[in-house]
């Protein structure tokens, strides 16, 4: 397991923005796929976005055009910029680090950060 440290959640009104950050150990950051998942009450955890070491990005349809994932190798940190937030984005957001060359690996998880969007 890899220790991931998340920050940046909070309460925001609909239409507002937040930026989530997730720090990972420097020795693994350069090769892992980093991702953000979220879990709303009563729902399954779902992928929001991920970014490979090649910088290839993948987004859930529900956040395309509103959220942007990026990574800073020098800081071994992955970011999730969330714009035009909506109440349905309310959830606990989890950072994930996964080794893409290991078939079927779920990866390591952060403890989660709460994002609440009021209408």
């Amino acid at each position: 397991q890899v220790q991931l440290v998340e920050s940046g959640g909070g309460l925001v009104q609909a239409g507002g923005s937040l930026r989530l950050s997730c720090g990972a150990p420097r020795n693994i950051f350069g090769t892992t796929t980093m991702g953000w998942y979220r879990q709303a009450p009563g729902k399954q955890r779902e992928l929001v976005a991920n970014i490979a070491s090649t910088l290839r990005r993948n987004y859930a349809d529900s956040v395309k055009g509103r959220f942007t994932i990026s990574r800073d190798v020098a800081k071994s940190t992955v970011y999730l910029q969330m714009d035009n937030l909506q109440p349905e984005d309310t959830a606990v957001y989890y950072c994930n680090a996964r080794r893409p060359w290991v078939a079927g690996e779920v990866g390591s998880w952060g403890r989660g950060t709460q994002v609440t969007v009021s209408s």
Side-chain angles (χ1 to χ4, degrees), residues 29-61:
F29 186 81
T31 56
T32 56
T33 293
M34 301 297 298
W36 288 97
Y37 290 71
R38 67 187 181 187
Q39 187 167 18
K43 295 187 177 181
Q44 289 189 331
R45 191 172 298 189
E46 62 177 1
L47 173 68
V48 175
N50 61 23
I51 181 168
S53 59
T54 59
L55 301 185
R56 180 176 179 176
R57 295 168 173 83
N58 182 40
Y59 293 95
D61 287 343

PDB file of all heavy atoms in Angstrom, residues 29-61:
ATOM      1  N   PHE A  29       5.578   7.864  -8.133  1.00  0.00           N
ATOM      2  CA  PHE A  29       4.670   8.777  -8.821  1.00  0.00           C
ATOM      3  C   PHE A  29       4.894   8.784 -10.321  1.00  0.00           C
ATOM      4  O   PHE A  29       3.947   8.869 -11.102  1.00  0.00           O
ATOM      5  CB  PHE A  29       4.835  10.192  -8.260  1.00  0.00           C
ATOM      6  CG  PHE A  29       3.830  11.170  -8.816  1.00  0.00           C
ATOM      7  CD1 PHE A  29       2.543  11.220  -8.307  1.00  0.00           C
ATOM      8  CD2 PHE A  29       4.169  12.034  -9.852  1.00  0.00           C
ATOM      9  CE1 PHE A  29       1.610  12.104  -8.821  1.00  0.00           C
ATOM     10  CE2 PHE A  29       3.251  12.915 -10.371  1.00  0.00           C
ATOM     11  CZ  PHE A  29       1.964  12.962  -9.850  1.00  0.00           C
ATOM     12  N   GLY A  30       6.140   8.693 -10.747  1.00  0.00           N
ATOM     13  CA  GLY A  30       6.449   8.845 -12.151  1.00  0.00           C
ATOM     14  C   GLY A  30       5.921   7.739 -13.047  1.00  0.00           C
ATOM     15  O   GLY A  30       5.796   7.932 -14.258  1.00  0.00           O
ATOM     16  N   THR A  31       5.579   6.584 -12.485  1.00  0.00           N
ATOM     17  CA  THR A  31       5.170   5.449 -13.309  1.00  0.00           C
ATOM     18  C   THR A  31       3.732   5.005 -13.087  1.00  0.00           C
ATOM     19  O   THR A  31       3.217   4.199 -13.850  1.00  0.00           O
ATOM     20  CB  THR A  31       6.081   4.240 -13.046  1.00  0.00           C
ATOM     21  OG1 THR A  31       6.058   3.941 -11.641  1.00  0.00           O
ATOM     22  CG2 THR A  31       7.515   4.533 -13.483  1.00  0.00           C
ATOM     23  N   THR A  32       3.085   5.512 -12.069  1.00  0.00           N
ATOM     24  CA  THR A  32       1.731   5.041 -11.761  1.00  0.00           C
ATOM     25  C   THR A  32       0.669   5.862 -12.492  1.00  0.00           C
ATOM     26  O   THR A  32       0.891   7.007 -12.875  1.00  0.00           O
ATOM     27  CB  THR A  32       1.438   5.129 -10.267  1.00  0.00           C
ATOM     28  OG1 THR A  32       1.653   6.481  -9.818  1.00  0.00           O
ATOM     29  CG2 THR A  32       2.328   4.203  -9.468  1.00  0.00           C
ATOM     30  N   THR A  33      -0.478   5.236 -12.671  1.00  0.00           N
ATOM     31  CA  THR A  33      -1.675   5.950 -13.130  1.00  0.00           C
ATOM     32  C   THR A  33      -2.363   6.508 -11.895  1.00  0.00           C
ATOM     33  O   THR A  33      -2.678   5.771 -10.961  1.00  0.00           O
ATOM     34  CB  THR A  33      -2.614   5.014 -13.893  1.00  0.00           C
ATOM     35  OG1 THR A  33      -1.990   4.618 -15.115  1.00  0.00           O
ATOM     36  CG2 THR A  33      -3.930   5.706 -14.204  1.00  0.00           C
ATOM     37  N   MET A  34      -2.571   7.803 -11.893  1.00  0.00           N
ATOM     38  CA  MET A  34      -3.215   8.469 -10.766  1.00  0.00           C
ATOM     39  C   MET A  34      -4.654   8.791 -11.134  1.00  0.00           C
ATOM     40  O   MET A  34      -4.936   9.214 -12.264  1.00  0.00           O
ATOM     41  CB  MET A  34      -2.470   9.754 -10.415  1.00  0.00           C
ATOM     42  CG  MET A  34      -1.014   9.560 -10.043  1.00  0.00           C
ATOM     43  SD  MET A  34      -0.790   8.554  -8.564  1.00  0.00           S
ATOM     44  CE  MET A  34      -1.613   9.565  -7.327  1.00  0.00           C
ATOM     45  N   GLY A  35      -5.541   8.603 -10.180  1.00  0.00           N
ATOM     46  CA  GLY A  35      -6.938   8.836 -10.482  1.00  0.00           C
ATOM     47  C   GLY A  35      -7.709   9.420  -9.314  1.00  0.00           C
ATOM     48  O   GLY A  35      -7.249   9.384  -8.168  1.00  0.00           O
ATOM     49  N   TRP A  36      -8.855   9.949  -9.632  1.00  0.00           N
ATOM     50  CA  TRP A  36      -9.819  10.414  -8.638  1.00  0.00           C
ATOM     51  C   TRP A  36     -11.122   9.648  -8.839  1.00  0.00           C
ATOM     52  O   TRP A  36     -11.616   9.528  -9.967  1.00  0.00           O
ATOM     53  CB  TRP A  36     -10.086  11.922  -8.795  1.00  0.00           C
ATOM     54  CG  TRP A  36      -8.958  12.777  -8.354  1.00  0.00           C
ATOM     55  CD1 TRP A  36      -7.986  13.333  -9.137  1.00  0.00           C
ATOM     56  CD2 TRP A  36      -8.664  13.179  -7.003  1.00  0.00           C
ATOM     57  NE1 TRP A  36      -7.108  14.050  -8.368  1.00  0.00           N
ATOM     58  CE2 TRP A  36      -7.505  13.975  -7.052  1.00  0.00           C
ATOM     59  CE3 TRP A  36      -9.273  12.949  -5.770  1.00  0.00           C
ATOM     60  CZ2 TRP A  36      -6.940  14.539  -5.910  1.00  0.00           C
ATOM     61  CZ3 TRP A  36      -8.699  13.510  -4.634  1.00  0.00           C
ATOM     62  CH2 TRP A  36      -7.550  14.296  -4.708  1.00  0.00           C
ATOM     63  N   TYR A  37     -11.628   9.147  -7.728  1.00  0.00           N
ATOM     64  CA  TYR A  37     -12.913   8.458  -7.697  1.00  0.00           C
ATOM     65  C   TYR A  37     -13.797   9.201  -6.706  1.00  0.00           C
ATOM     66  O   TYR A  37     -13.320   9.984  -5.879  1.00  0.00           O
ATOM     67  CB  TYR A  37     -12.736   7.007  -7.242  1.00  0.00           C
ATOM     68  CG  TYR A  37     -12.045   6.118  -8.245  1.00  0.00           C
ATOM     69  CD1 TYR A  37     -10.695   6.255  -8.515  1.00  0.00           C
ATOM     70  CD2 TYR A  37     -12.755   5.119  -8.921  1.00  0.00           C
ATOM     71  CE1 TYR A  37     -10.057   5.431  -9.442  1.00  0.00           C
ATOM     72  CE2 TYR A  37     -12.125   4.292  -9.834  1.00  0.00           C
ATOM     73  CZ  TYR A  37     -10.780   4.456 -10.091  1.00  0.00           C
ATOM     74  OH  TYR A  37     -10.161   3.638 -11.006  1.00  0.00           O
ATOM     75  N   ARG A  38     -15.088   8.926  -6.779  1.00  0.00           N
ATOM     76  CA  ARG A  38     -15.995   9.532  -5.800  1.00  0.00           C
ATOM     77  C   ARG A  38     -17.085   8.540  -5.412  1.00  0.00           C
ATOM     78  O   ARG A  38     -17.428   7.641  -6.183  1.00  0.00           O
ATOM     79  CB  ARG A  38     -16.615  10.822  -6.331  1.00  0.00           C
ATOM     80  CG  ARG A  38     -17.560  10.640  -7.506  1.00  0.00           C
ATOM     81  CD  ARG A  38     -17.987  12.009  -8.050  1.00  0.00           C
ATOM     82  NE  ARG A  38     -18.910  11.888  -9.169  1.00  0.00           N
ATOM     83  CZ  ARG A  38     -19.319  12.925  -9.913  1.00  0.00           C
ATOM     84  NH1 ARG A  38     -18.883  14.150  -9.640  1.00  0.00           N
ATOM     85  NH2 ARG A  38     -20.171  12.739 -10.899  1.00  0.00           N
ATOM     86  N   GLN A  39     -17.595   8.743  -4.214  1.00  0.00           N
ATOM     87  CA  GLN A  39     -18.672   7.891  -3.726  1.00  0.00           C
ATOM     88  C   GLN A  39     -19.681   8.747  -2.996  1.00  0.00           C
ATOM     89  O   GLN A  39     -19.365   9.372  -1.982  1.00  0.00           O
ATOM     90  CB  GLN A  39     -18.132   6.797  -2.804  1.00  0.00           C
ATOM     91  CG  GLN A  39     -19.177   5.774  -2.404  1.00  0.00           C
ATOM     92  CD  GLN A  39     -18.570   4.552  -1.757  1.00  0.00           C
ATOM     93  OE1 GLN A  39     -17.436   4.563  -1.293  1.00  0.00           O
ATOM     94  NE2 GLN A  39     -19.329   3.470  -1.729  1.00  0.00           N
ATOM     95  N   ALA A  40     -20.884   8.779  -3.548  1.00  0.00           N
ATOM     96  CA  ALA A  40     -21.987   9.498  -2.926  1.00  0.00           C
ATOM     97  C   ALA A  40     -22.741   8.538  -1.999  1.00  0.00           C
ATOM     98  O   ALA A  40     -22.671   7.317  -2.180  1.00  0.00           O
ATOM     99  CB  ALA A  40     -22.916  10.055  -3.994  1.00  0.00           C
ATOM    100  N   PRO A  41     -23.475   9.064  -1.025  1.00  0.00           N
ATOM    101  CA  PRO A  41     -24.214   8.190  -0.105  1.00  0.00           C
ATOM    102  C   PRO A  41     -25.146   7.250  -0.851  1.00  0.00           C
ATOM    103  O   PRO A  41     -25.903   7.670  -1.731  1.00  0.00           O
ATOM    104  CB  PRO A  41     -24.996   9.187   0.752  1.00  0.00           C
ATOM    105  CG  PRO A  41     -24.189  10.430   0.719  1.00  0.00           C
ATOM    106  CD  PRO A  41     -23.594  10.483  -0.654  1.00  0.00           C
ATOM    107  N   GLY A  42     -25.070   5.971  -0.525  1.00  0.00           N
ATOM    108  CA  GLY A  42     -25.934   4.990  -1.144  1.00  0.00           C
ATOM    109  C   GLY A  42     -25.549   4.569  -2.547  1.00  0.00           C
ATOM    110  O   GLY A  42     -26.271   3.799  -3.176  1.00  0.00           O
ATOM    111  N   LYS A  43     -24.418   5.053  -3.032  1.00  0.00           N
ATOM    112  CA  LYS A  43     -23.990   4.725  -4.386  1.00  0.00           C
ATOM    113  C   LYS A  43     -22.619   4.057  -4.362  1.00  0.00           C
ATOM    114  O   LYS A  43     -21.878   4.169  -3.398  1.00  0.00           O
ATOM    115  CB  LYS A  43     -23.956   5.978  -5.260  1.00  0.00           C
ATOM    116  CG  LYS A  43     -25.316   6.606  -5.491  1.00  0.00           C
ATOM    117  CD  LYS A  43     -25.236   7.734  -6.494  1.00  0.00           C
ATOM    118  CE  LYS A  43     -26.610   8.314  -6.780  1.00  0.00           C
ATOM    119  NZ  LYS A  43     -26.544   9.419  -7.782  1.00  0.00           N
ATOM    120  N   GLN A  44     -22.296   3.410  -5.464  1.00  0.00           N
ATOM    121  CA  GLN A  44     -20.998   2.774  -5.583  1.00  0.00           C
ATOM    122  C   GLN A  44     -19.927   3.808  -5.914  1.00  0.00           C
ATOM    123  O   GLN A  44     -20.217   4.870  -6.484  1.00  0.00           O
ATOM    124  CB  GLN A  44     -21.039   1.705  -6.678  1.00  0.00           C
ATOM    125  CG  GLN A  44     -21.848   0.475  -6.322  1.00  0.00           C
ATOM    126  CD  GLN A  44     -21.682  -0.644  -7.335  1.00  0.00           C
ATOM    127  OE1 GLN A  44     -21.438  -0.389  -8.519  1.00  0.00           O
ATOM    128  NE2 GLN A  44     -21.793  -1.877  -6.876  1.00  0.00           N
ATOM    129  N   ARG A  45     -18.708   3.476  -5.562  1.00  0.00           N
ATOM    130  CA  ARG A  45     -17.598   4.339  -5.918  1.00  0.00           C
ATOM    131  C   ARG A  45     -17.426   4.318  -7.432  1.00  0.00           C
ATOM    132  O   ARG A  45     -17.483   3.245  -8.058  1.00  0.00           O
ATOM    133  CB  ARG A  45     -16.318   3.853  -5.231  1.00  0.00           C
ATOM    134  CG  ARG A  45     -15.156   4.814  -5.324  1.00  0.00           C
ATOM    135  CD  ARG A  45     -13.987   4.349  -4.456  1.00  0.00           C
ATOM    136  NE  ARG A  45     -14.342   4.302  -3.041  1.00  0.00           N
ATOM    137  CZ  ARG A  45     -13.452   4.101  -2.073  1.00  0.00           C
ATOM    138  NH1 ARG A  45     -12.169   3.923  -2.371  1.00  0.00           N
ATOM    139  NH2 ARG A  45     -13.841   4.058  -0.809  1.00  0.00           N
ATOM    140  N   GLU A  46     -17.207   5.492  -8.015  1.00  0.00           N
ATOM    141  CA  GLU A  46     -17.086   5.584  -9.465  1.00  0.00           C
ATOM    142  C   GLU A  46     -15.869   6.409  -9.855  1.00  0.00           C
ATOM    143  O   GLU A  46     -15.440   7.307  -9.118  1.00  0.00           O
ATOM    144  CB  GLU A  46     -18.337   6.247 -10.074  1.00  0.00           C
ATOM    145  CG  GLU A  46     -18.578   7.673  -9.632  1.00  0.00           C
ATOM    146  CD  GLU A  46     -19.779   8.311 -10.319  1.00  0.00           C
ATOM    147  OE1 GLU A  46     -20.443   7.661 -11.128  1.00  0.00           O
ATOM    148  OE2 GLU A  46     -20.016   9.503 -10.028  1.00  0.00           O
ATOM    149  N   LEU A  47     -15.329   6.087 -11.017  1.00  0.00           N
ATOM    150  CA  LEU A  47     -14.200   6.840 -11.538  1.00  0.00           C
ATOM    151  C   LEU A  47     -14.663   8.224 -11.972  1.00  0.00           C
ATOM    152  O   LEU A  47     -15.667   8.369 -12.677  1.00  0.00           O
ATOM    153  CB  LEU A  47     -13.587   6.108 -12.738  1.00  0.00           C
ATOM    154  CG  LEU A  47     -12.491   6.859 -13.484  1.00  0.00           C
ATOM    155  CD1 LEU A  47     -11.237   6.991 -12.622  1.00  0.00           C
ATOM    156  CD2 LEU A  47     -12.166   6.165 -14.803  1.00  0.00           C
ATOM    157  N   VAL A  48     -13.902   9.236 -11.565  1.00  0.00           N
ATOM    158  CA  VAL A  48     -14.142  10.603 -12.021  1.00  0.00           C
ATOM    159  C   VAL A  48     -13.189  10.922 -13.168  1.00  0.00           C
ATOM    160  O   VAL A  48     -13.599  11.372 -14.232  1.00  0.00           O
ATOM    161  CB  VAL A  48     -13.944  11.606 -10.870  1.00  0.00           C
ATOM    162  CG1 VAL A  48     -14.088  13.034 -11.387  1.00  0.00           C
ATOM    163  CG2 VAL A  48     -14.926  11.325  -9.742  1.00  0.00           C
ATOM    164  N   ALA A  49     -11.892  10.686 -12.933  1.00  0.00           N
ATOM    165  CA  ALA A  49     -10.879  10.955 -13.954  1.00  0.00           C
ATOM    166  C   ALA A  49      -9.590  10.256 -13.556  1.00  0.00           C
ATOM    167  O   ALA A  49      -9.339  10.031 -12.368  1.00  0.00           O
ATOM    168  CB  ALA A  49     -10.633  12.456 -14.107  1.00  0.00           C
ATOM    169  N   ASN A  50      -8.801   9.894 -14.542  1.00  0.00           N
ATOM    170  CA  ASN A  50      -7.458   9.417 -14.252  1.00  0.00           C
ATOM    171  C   ASN A  50      -6.483   9.936 -15.294  1.00  0.00           C
ATOM    172  O   ASN A  50      -6.877  10.407 -16.371  1.00  0.00           O
ATOM    173  CB  ASN A  50      -7.382   7.899 -14.104  1.00  0.00           C
ATOM    174  CG  ASN A  50      -7.793   7.135 -15.341  1.00  0.00           C
ATOM    175  OD1 ASN A  50      -7.755   7.657 -16.453  1.00  0.00           O
ATOM    176  ND2 ASN A  50      -8.187   5.889 -15.161  1.00  0.00           N
ATOM    177  N   ILE A  51      -5.201   9.864 -14.936  1.00  0.00           N
ATOM    178  CA  ILE A  51      -4.156  10.362 -15.813  1.00  0.00           C
ATOM    179  C   ILE A  51      -2.964   9.419 -15.718  1.00  0.00           C
ATOM    180  O   ILE A  51      -2.482   9.107 -14.618  1.00  0.00           O
ATOM    181  CB  ILE A  51      -3.774  11.816 -15.465  1.00  0.00           C
ATOM    182  CG1 ILE A  51      -2.692  12.344 -16.408  1.00  0.00           C
ATOM    183  CG2 ILE A  51      -3.352  11.967 -14.001  1.00  0.00           C
ATOM    184  CD1 ILE A  51      -2.479  13.860 -16.295  1.00  0.00           C
ATOM    185  N   ALA A  52      -2.521   8.950 -16.860  1.00  0.00           N
ATOM    186  CA  ALA A  52      -1.395   8.024 -16.898  1.00  0.00           C
ATOM    187  C   ALA A  52      -0.070   8.781 -16.850  1.00  0.00           C
ATOM    188  O   ALA A  52      -0.034  10.009 -16.994  1.00  0.00           O
ATOM    189  CB  ALA A  52      -1.474   7.187 -18.175  1.00  0.00           C
ATOM    190  N   SER A  53       1.006   8.036 -16.688  1.00  0.00           N
ATOM    191  CA  SER A  53       2.329   8.659 -16.695  1.00  0.00           C
ATOM    192  C   SER A  53       2.640   9.284 -18.052  1.00  0.00           C
ATOM    193  O   SER A  53       3.456  10.191 -18.150  1.00  0.00           O
ATOM    194  CB  SER A  53       3.396   7.619 -16.336  1.00  0.00           C
ATOM    195  OG  SER A  53       3.371   6.551 -17.249  1.00  0.00           O
ATOM    196  N   THR A  54       1.944   8.805 -19.089  1.00  0.00           N
ATOM    197  CA  THR A  54       2.088   9.382 -20.434  1.00  0.00           C
ATOM    198  C   THR A  54       1.278  10.658 -20.599  1.00  0.00           C
ATOM    199  O   THR A  54       1.313  11.267 -21.666  1.00  0.00           O
ATOM    200  CB  THR A  54       1.612   8.373 -21.487  1.00  0.00           C
ATOM    201  OG1 THR A  54       0.231   8.059 -21.223  1.00  0.00           O
ATOM    202  CG2 THR A  54       2.446   7.103 -21.438  1.00  0.00           C
ATOM    203  N   LEU A  55       0.517  11.028 -19.585  1.00  0.00           N
ATOM    204  CA  LEU A  55      -0.387  12.182 -19.556  1.00  0.00           C
ATOM    205  C   LEU A  55      -1.691  11.923 -20.301  1.00  0.00           C
ATOM    206  O   LEU A  55      -2.480  12.844 -20.503  1.00  0.00           O
ATOM    207  CB  LEU A  55       0.284  13.451 -20.075  1.00  0.00           C
ATOM    208  CG  LEU A  55       1.535  13.910 -19.324  1.00  0.00           C
ATOM    209  CD1 LEU A  55       2.025  15.234 -19.869  1.00  0.00           C
ATOM    210  CD2 LEU A  55       1.276  13.987 -17.841  1.00  0.00           C
ATOM    211  N   ARG A  56      -1.911  10.676 -20.697  1.00  0.00           N
ATOM    212  CA  ARG A  56      -3.217  10.339 -21.275  1.00  0.00           C
ATOM    213  C   ARG A  56      -4.276  10.446 -20.184  1.00  0.00           C
ATOM    214  O   ARG A  56      -4.110   9.900 -19.094  1.00  0.00           O
ATOM    215  CB  ARG A  56      -3.210   8.936 -21.850  1.00  0.00           C
ATOM    216  CG  ARG A  56      -4.541   8.520 -22.460  1.00  0.00           C
ATOM    217  CD  ARG A  56      -4.458   7.152 -23.103  1.00  0.00           C
ATOM    218  NE  ARG A  56      -5.730   6.750 -23.670  1.00  0.00           N
ATOM    219  CZ  ARG A  56      -5.920   5.635 -24.358  1.00  0.00           C
ATOM    220  NH1 ARG A  56      -4.910   4.813 -24.576  1.00  0.00           N
ATOM    221  NH2 ARG A  56      -7.115   5.345 -24.834  1.00  0.00           N
ATOM    222  N   ARG A  57      -5.361  11.124 -20.494  1.00  0.00           N
ATOM    223  CA  ARG A  57      -6.415  11.391 -19.528  1.00  0.00           C
ATOM    224  C   ARG A  57      -7.695  10.654 -19.895  1.00  0.00           C
ATOM    225  O   ARG A  57      -7.987  10.447 -21.068  1.00  0.00           O
ATOM    226  CB  ARG A  57      -6.692  12.899 -19.443  1.00  0.00           C
ATOM    227  CG  ARG A  57      -5.537  13.719 -18.911  1.00  0.00           C
ATOM    228  CD  ARG A  57      -5.789  15.197 -19.132  1.00  0.00           C
ATOM    229  NE  ARG A  57      -4.791  16.043 -18.501  1.00  0.00           N
ATOM    230  CZ  ARG A  57      -3.608  16.335 -19.030  1.00  0.00           C
ATOM    231  NH1 ARG A  57      -3.265  15.814 -20.202  1.00  0.00           N
ATOM    232  NH2 ARG A  57      -2.777  17.128 -18.378  1.00  0.00           N
ATOM    233  N   ASN A  58      -8.463  10.334 -18.879  1.00  0.00           N
ATOM    234  CA  ASN A  58      -9.749   9.671 -19.062  1.00  0.00           C
ATOM    235  C   ASN A  58     -10.723  10.317 -18.085  1.00  0.00           C
ATOM    236  O   ASN A  58     -10.409  10.477 -16.903  1.00  0.00           O
ATOM    237  CB  ASN A  58      -9.603   8.171 -18.774  1.00  0.00           C
ATOM    238  CG  ASN A  58     -10.884   7.417 -18.988  1.00  0.00           C
ATOM    239  OD1 ASN A  58     -11.612   7.679 -19.932  1.00  0.00           O
ATOM    240  ND2 ASN A  58     -11.161   6.469 -18.114  1.00  0.00           N
ATOM    241  N   TYR A  59     -11.924  10.683 -18.580  1.00  0.00           N
ATOM    242  CA  TYR A  59     -12.918  11.345 -17.748  1.00  0.00           C
ATOM    243  C   TYR A  59     -14.247  10.608 -17.803  1.00  0.00           C
ATOM    244  O   TYR A  59     -14.637  10.069 -18.846  1.00  0.00           O
ATOM    245  CB  TYR A  59     -13.164  12.780 -18.227  1.00  0.00           C
ATOM    246  CG  TYR A  59     -11.999  13.721 -18.061  1.00  0.00           C
ATOM    247  CD1 TYR A  59     -11.113  13.951 -19.114  1.00  0.00           C
ATOM    248  CD2 TYR A  59     -11.792  14.388 -16.858  1.00  0.00           C
ATOM    249  CE1 TYR A  59     -10.047  14.821 -18.970  1.00  0.00           C
ATOM    250  CE2 TYR A  59     -10.728  15.259 -16.695  1.00  0.00           C
ATOM    251  CZ  TYR A  59      -9.863  15.475 -17.760  1.00  0.00           C
ATOM    252  OH  TYR A  59      -8.810  16.346 -17.613  1.00  0.00           O
ATOM    253  N   ALA A  60     -14.979  10.657 -16.694  1.00  0.00           N
ATOM    254  CA  ALA A  60     -16.364  10.205 -16.700  1.00  0.00           C
ATOM    255  C   ALA A  60     -17.174  11.187 -17.541  1.00  0.00           C
ATOM    256  O   ALA A  60     -16.898  12.391 -17.555  1.00  0.00           O
ATOM    257  CB  ALA A  60     -16.913  10.150 -15.281  1.00  0.00           C
ATOM    258  N   ASP A  61     -18.175  10.674 -18.240  1.00  0.00           N
ATOM    259  CA  ASP A  61     -18.999  11.537 -19.096  1.00  0.00           C
ATOM    260  C   ASP A  61     -19.633  12.674 -18.300  1.00  0.00           C
ATOM    261  O   ASP A  61     -19.784  13.789 -18.817  1.00  0.00           O
ATOM    262  CB  ASP A  61     -20.093  10.712 -19.770  1.00  0.00           C
ATOM    263  CG  ASP A  61     -19.549   9.810 -20.866  1.00  0.00           C
ATOM    264  OD1 ASP A  61     -18.413  10.034 -21.327  1.00  0.00           O
ATOM    265  OD2 ASP A  61     -20.259   8.861 -21.253  1.00  0.00           O
TER     266      ASP A  61
END
